[in-house]
Amino acid sequence: MANVLVIGAGAAGLMAAGAAVRQGHTVTVLEHKEKPAQKILVTGKGRCNVCNDCDVNTVIEHVQSGNPRFLYAALNAFPPADVKAFFEENGVPLKTERGNRVFPVSDKAADIAEALRRYAVDAGVHFVHAAVRAVRPEGDGFFVEANGMHRHDRVIIATGGASYPLTGSTGDGFRFAKELGLSV
């Protein structure tokens, strides 16, 4: 069992935290915004397009990027059918609309955000409202500076990109990765 820190309480951070606890780890999530999952609330014009109702190859065929194959491993590990099952099992009925886009039946992104928050909370994730200043390796773990120094066995950086600073997406994760010598 490891002492895991997740930096960021967006969709990826909440999923990672809930999954890590279910695998037997002790998990703390640090989030610098007052509420988790802020960016989810503005996705899909407040409705949250959860995924597309199609197979992995069809998703990849429609990704408009120079290299959509980078998504292949992630999409095979958690394909759209599993995404839909996850949310429905966590109390969010879904519907498929034009273009195979999947939304909550309620048309409320807040239902998706709440399901992810509940998934983490019900697992026993501990939340701390704090901004991370630095992450540095130390022996076989990490020291994280956020309201003091804290040691963790593992760190998951789930801060998102720099797409929407008002929701918390400030690009800090890129800085942490660079300081750790990771390529992005």
Side-chain angles (χ1 to χ4, degrees):
M1 179 186 331
N3 175 5
V4 178
L5 175 72
V6 177
I7 304 171
L14 294 171
M15 286 291 288
V21 169
R22 286 170 172 82
Q23 292 174 9
H25 304 292
T26 301
V27 179
T28 300
V29 172
L30 288 181
E31 172 57 49
H32 67 116
K33 298 296 278 183
E34 288 186 34
K35 293 181 181 179
Q38 291 297 291
K39 197 184 321 176
I40 292 171
L41 300 177
V42 298
T43 61
K45 297 181 183 177
R47 296 174 58 216
C48 191
N49 179 195
V50 177
C51 65
N52 285 1
D53 194 5
C54 55
D55 63 41
V56 171
N57 289 328
T58 302
V59 172
I60 290 174
E61 287 171 17
H62 290 90
V63 171
Q64 296 181 8
S65 167
N67 181 20
R69 307 280 311 157
F70 79 96
L71 292 171
Y72 195 76
L75 286 169
N76 275 301
F78 198 51
D82 291 355
V83 172
K84 289 174 52 183
F86 171 84
F87 283 108
E88 291 190 339
E89 289 165 8
N90 282 280
V92 183
L94 301 172
K95 62 183 177 179
T96 301
E97 293 186 358
R98 177 181 49 84
N100 289 326
R101 297 173 302 148
V102 177
F103 292 93
V105 168
S106 67
D107 284 330
K108 295 179 182 174
D111 292 349
I112 298 298
E114 177 58 19
L116 289 166
R117 188 196 67 77
R118 214 174 35 251
Y119 174 73
V121 168
D122 290 352
V125 170
H126 176 69
F127 288 85
V128 175
H129 177 242
V132 175
R133 303 283 178 237
V135 179
R136 72 170 197 264
E138 186 72 33
D140 61 351
F142 299 86
F143 273 108
V144 177
E145 182 183 344
N147 295 351
M149 294 295 280
H150 307 274
R151 188 185 185 293
H152 300 275
D153 301 321
R154 304 285 181 266
V155 173
I156 298 171
I157 300 171
T159 57
S163 61
Y164 203 153
L166 290 176
T167 64
S169 296
T170 59
D172 289 341
F174 295 117
R175 180 173 53 86
F176 301 146
K178 184 177 178 182
E179 290 170 357
L180 291 167
L182 302 172
S183 62
V184 178

